């Protein structure tokens, strides 16, 4: 039987379309892969990073930090999740690891009272001569002032709730961002569990680790006024 010419032409066109579709998919994969690779911190950067996540009161209302911690660990990033009352001993632990060369990038995240404790932890690390790359507070429940600096401090708070904006105190250096999320449907108990907030926190941490190739501004230990003046002069004046 002689094949139908129109049927044969139609089949050929369908085969050509399938080939083009496969080629487009392969090209898309090639185009997307390099972008994804560039967006991820390197293993060397991850290996010398530690993220400390501080829960709030009673240790039961900040379990979204556990989820953030698990997602970071899935990227290979070392984390410690603890109650905010441990901030001082965690600062000692971080300082020991930093001075031994095991840590280069220190990131702090806190929720509720854990966010309120962040400036104290930063101040202690600064006194020990240890820089903090990034700190993120989620709805700090008391008026909070930063007298010493992380390279960047992000305070995400609910303006019509218990949270408060963080204020700059004399001597603060670094970049401070107050982000009011009122009207987004998140509450004080749910802010750490909100998917969009969690994605932002993780994205900011990844970006900070990527920036870790640039040395942080040196932090003077207490009793070194000359070094303190040098660090202050090198730091940009930003809000």
């Amino acid at each position: 039987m002689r094949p139908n010419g129109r049927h044969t032409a139609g089949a050929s066109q369908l085969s050509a379309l399938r080939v083009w579709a496969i080629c487009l998919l392969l090209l898309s994969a090639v185009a997307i892969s390099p972008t994804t690779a560039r967006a991820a911190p390197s293993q060397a950067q991850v290996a010398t990073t530690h993220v400390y996540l501080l829960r709030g009161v009673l240790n039961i209302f900040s379990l979204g930090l556990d989820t953030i911690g698990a997602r970071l660990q899935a990227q290979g990033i070392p984390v410690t999740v603890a109650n905010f009352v441990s901030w001082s001993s965690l600062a000692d632990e971080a300082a020991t690891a930093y001075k031994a060369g095991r840590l280069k990038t220190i990131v702090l995240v806190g929720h509720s009272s854990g966010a309120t404790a962040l400036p104290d932890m930063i101040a202690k690390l600064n006194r020990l001569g240890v820089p903090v790359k990034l700190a993120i507070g989620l709805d700090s429940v008391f008026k909070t002032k930063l007298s010493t600096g992380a390279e960047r401090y992000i305070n995400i708070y609910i303006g019509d709730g218990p949270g408060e904006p963080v204020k700059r105190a004399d001597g603060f250096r670094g970049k401070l961002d107050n982000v009011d999320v009122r009207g987004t449907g998140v509450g004080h108990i749910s802010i750490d569990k909100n998917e969009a907030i969690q994605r932002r926190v993780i994205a900011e941490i990844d970006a900070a680790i990527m920036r870790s190739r640039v040395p942080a501004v040196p932090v003077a230990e207490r009793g070194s006024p000359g070094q303190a003046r040098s660090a202050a002069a090198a730091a940009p004046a930003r809000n």
Side-chain angles (χ1 to χ4, degrees):
M1 181 181 292
R2 188 175 180 179
N4 184 288
R6 283 179 298 179
H7 176 75
T8 303
S12 298
Q13 289 172 349
L14 285 173
S15 297
L17 286 173
R18 290 193 188 99
V19 170
W20 276 107
I22 291 169
C23 289
L24 286 172
L25 286 172
L26 290 172
L27 287 171
S28 298
V30 170
I32 290 169
S33 296
T35 303
T36 304
R38 284 196 301 270
S42 70
Q43 275 303 115
Q45 290 170 312
V46 165
T48 53
T49 295
H50 202 101
V51 180
Y52 296 89
L53 300 111
L54 303 184
R55 297 196 196 107
V57 172
L58 300 180
N59 222 26
I60 58 174
F61 296 118
S62 305
L63 298 184
L65 297 186
D66 293 63
T67 303
I68 293 172
R71 290 182 174 184
L72 292 171
Q73 285 180 317
Q75 296 182 32
I77 300 171
V79 306
T80 296
V81 184
N83 189 253
F84 77 100
V85 296
S86 303
W87 69 264
S88 184
S89 60
L90 291 176
D92 289 331
E93 174 187 301
T96 298
Y98 180 83
K99 291 178 178 181
R102 296 191 302 273
L103 277 187
K104 293 181 180 178
T105 305
I106 295 171
V107 176
L108 313 178
V109 181
H111 169 238
S112 190
S113 293
T116 305
L118 292 184
D120 290 329
M121 188 169 179
I122 293 168
K124 180 169 185 177
L125 285 166
N126 284 184
R127 288 195 301 271
L128 294 171
V130 179
V132 176
K133 193 73 176 179
L134 172 69
I136 303 176
L138 301 176
D139 220 31
S140 175
V141 291
F142 298 105
K143 292 185 184 297
T144 306
K145 284 187 177 181
L146 284 172
S147 57
T148 53
E151 184 175 302
R152 188 177 183 202
Y153 193 109
I154 304 171
N155 175 49
I156 303 175
Y157 72 105
I158 305 165
D160 55 358
E164 296 275 354
V166 171
K167 306 292 186 184
R168 294 171 63 101
D170 291 342
F172 172 77
R173 63 183 185 276
K175 183 178 181 183
L176 169 62
D177 293 322
N178 280 298
V179 181
D180 188 349
V181 294
R182 77 178 82 189
T184 60
V186 299
H188 181 71
I189 301 299
S190 65
I191 189 170
D192 61 308
K193 304 168 189 68
N194 179 269
E195 179 67 25
I197 298 292
Q198 289 189 352
R199 284 200 305 267
R200 170 154 189 185
V201 169
I202 292 168
E204 294 287 0
I205 292 171
D206 285 342
I209 296 172
M210 292 286 287
R211 293 195 307 272
S212 65
R213 292 174 183 163
V214 180
V217 174
V219 180
E221 295 190 34
R222 183 179 290 177
S224 303
Q227 190 177 1
R229 284 195 297 272
S230 176
R238 294 182 291 182
N239 292 323

